[in-house]
Every structure is written in structure tokens, then in C-alpha cells.
């Protein structure tokens, strides 16, 4: 499939936004959905109160607001390839938790993750052709994958990638739990919860599997 040119892509975004704005201005037969969206949008410039923070992968197939069927202002979303945790991501989570009082953090990975695949490829066949910036992402994922290989490497590549996705989610969640004094304090004394979850591209189901209270 040929990629559309940048100008055409920009035009498509503008048209999509026009549709979005147009829907907000129209009443449906019941008037409830459009009316609620319009009222919600008008309250947001004064502030936001997201009920969950989502650190997810940049993959275009996993938009958190759509996956969780949430609307404007409901989620504070941070997206980066491989749902990795670096200082800027930690700072973003800290900001939302402190500024808005949001007490749920979800690290959202997904099946068939390209960043996981790239990391496994780099471990199997190291290449110097990766840019320094891409390598920084791989290096963030590498410890989770290497730890997996050291303990009980699976026999087939598909199983390895599935396990690597979850190992990386667990590592990112643990990094948030223990890599920030502010978040540690909120976890210990103010009810902050950090959980790990995997979205299935095949079924659309989100499986919360790490750090979930009994």
C-alpha cells in the first residue's frame, strides 16, 4: 500500500477535525450524545480531571481513548514506542498524579509490538546501522528481554515475543513504582496504583495482569 503524501495526510487530518467539530455541534435524534460531548468540551478549558494515567505504546493501532472507550478529558495519555520509561515519561506521570490527583497509572503494551521485535532482532543480529535515538529505545527494552532469555528462553520465536511483551510491561511498571520518590510516596501513603496491561491486536481485549489488587 502506497503511503499518501504529507500534504494529503495533513488535509485528511484537517477534514477529520472538521468532522469532529461538526459532530459536536449537531444534535443526534436523542440529543444526548452530542449534547454531552459539547458540554464536556466546554468545561475542559478551565481544567482537567483525568481519572487514569496511561503510559502506552505509540503504535497507531492502540489509541488508549478508543481502546478504553473514553472521552475528552478522561485520560492523561503518554505514548512512546515500546511503552518505555525514561525521565520524561516519569516526569509526565508525576505531573498528572500531583497536579490532578489521579491515582491509577496503567502501563499499556500490546501484542505484536514493533519495538519488542526490533529489540529481539538487535540481540540476535547486532547492527550498527540503527540511529542513536532508535538504539536508546532498544536499550530501554533490552534488560527485560535479556532477563527473559537468561532464565528460561522459549523454544519458538512467537512465544518469545509474547513473553517479551509482558516482561517489558512489567519492567516499565516496576520502574514507575520504584524509580520516583514522588510516586513511591504516593503509592505508600496516598493510594496510587500502578498496573500493567496488554492489549490484544487480534481480539481488542485488554488484559490487566501486573500489579492488580486481589
Amino acid at each position: 500500500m502506497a503511503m499518501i503524501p504529507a500534504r494529503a495526510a495533513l488535509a485528511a487530518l484537517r477534514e477529520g477535525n472538521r468532522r469532529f467539530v461538526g459532530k459536536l455541534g449537531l444534535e443526534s435524534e436523542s440529543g444526548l450524545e452530542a449534547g454531552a460531548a459539547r458540554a464536556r468540551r466546554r468545561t475542559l478549558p478551565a481544567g482537567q480531571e483525568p481519572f487514569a494515567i496511561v503510559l502506552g505504546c505509540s503504535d497507531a493501532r492502540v489509541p488508549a481513548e478508543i481502546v478504553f472507550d473514553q472521552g475528552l478529558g478522561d485520560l492523561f495519555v503518554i505514548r512512546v514506542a515500546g511503552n518505555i520509561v525514561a525521565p520524561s515519561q516519569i516526569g509526565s506521570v508525576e505531573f498528572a498524579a500531583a497536579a490532578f490527583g489521579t491515582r491509577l497509572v496503567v502501563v499499556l503494551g500490546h501484542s505484536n509490538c514493533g519495538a519488542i521485535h526490533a529489540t529481539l532482532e538487535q540481540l540476535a543480529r547486532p547492527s550498527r546501522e540503527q540511529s542513536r535515538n532508535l538504539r536508546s529505545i532498544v536499550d530501554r527494552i533490552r534488560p527485560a528481554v535479556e532477563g527473559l532469555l537468561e532464565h528460561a528462553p522459549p523454544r519458538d520465536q512467537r512465544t518469545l515475543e509474547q513473553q517479551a511483551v509482558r516482561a517489558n510491561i512489567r519492567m516499565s511498571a516496576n520502574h514507575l513504582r520504584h524509580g520516583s520518590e514522588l510516586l513511591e510516596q504516593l503509592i505508600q501513603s496516598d493510594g496510587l496504583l500502578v498496573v500493567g496491561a496488554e492489549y490484544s491486536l487480534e481480539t481488542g481485549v485488554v488484559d490487566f495482569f501486573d500489579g492488580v489488587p486481589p
Side-chain angles (χ1 to χ4, degrees):
M1 182 177 65
M3 182 60 65
I4 66 173
R7 289 179 181 272
L10 179 58
L13 289 180
R14 286 175 168 160
E15 178 59 29
N17 182 243
R18 280 193 288 270
R19 290 195 302 271
F20 172 72
V21 173
K23 289 177 182 178
L24 292 177
L26 293 173
E27 291 287 347
S28 62
E29 288 184 5
S30 66
L32 295 178
E33 184 176 349
R38 185 168 59 252
R40 178 65 170 157
R41 179 180 58 84
R42 288 173 177 170
T43 65
L44 291 176
Q48 56 177 310
E49 296 179 342
F51 68 85
I53 302 164
V54 180
L55 171 58
C57 183
S58 299
D59 194 297
R61 300 167 292 181
V62 196
E65 292 88 348
I66 295 177
V67 165
F68 291 117
D69 192 25
Q70 298 302 317
L72 296 171
D74 292 333
L75 303 178
F76 188 91
V77 181
I78 307 149
R79 298 183 70 179
V80 59
N83 43 273
I84 61 171
V85 174
S88 58
Q89 283 82 53
I90 296 176
S92 297
V93 174
E94 289 178 339
F95 169 74
F100 311 129
T102 310
R103 289 297 174 262
L104 175 63
V105 181
V106 180
V107 176
L108 181 64
H110 64 92
S111 61
N112 301 322
C113 179
I116 295 295
H117 181 76
T119 302
L120 291 170
E121 284 286 307
Q122 184 67 12
L123 287 173
R125 290 178 291 277
S127 169
R128 295 184 179 180
E129 295 180 2
Q130 273 190 336
S131 76
R132 180 179 62 184
N133 299 306
L134 286 173
R135 191 163 57 248
S136 70
I137 295 174
V138 168
D139 287 344
R140 292 277 177 183
I141 299 173
R142 184 191 300 267
V145 178
E146 288 179 332
L148 182 64
L149 293 174
E150 288 173 2
H151 287 87
R155 295 181 179 179
D156 63 279
Q157 186 69 17
R158 179 176 175 80
T159 300
L160 174 59
E161 292 203 9
Q162 291 173 339
Q163 293 182 4
V165 164
R166 295 215 165 195
N168 182 55
I169 293 169
R170 289 190 185 95
M171 184 177 69
S172 291
N174 280 327
H175 196 160
L176 290 177
R177 295 179 189 120
H178 305 294
S180 161
E181 292 183 7
L182 173 60
L183 297 181
E184 282 190 14
Q185 182 179 1
L186 291 176
I187 289 170
Q188 293 172 6
S189 62
D190 208 11
L192 182 72
L193 180 64
V194 179
V195 301
E198 180 185 359
Y199 171 76
S200 170
L201 294 177
E202 296 76 17
T203 67
V205 174
V206 175
D207 180 17
F208 294 90
F209 69 91
D210 182 66
V212 181

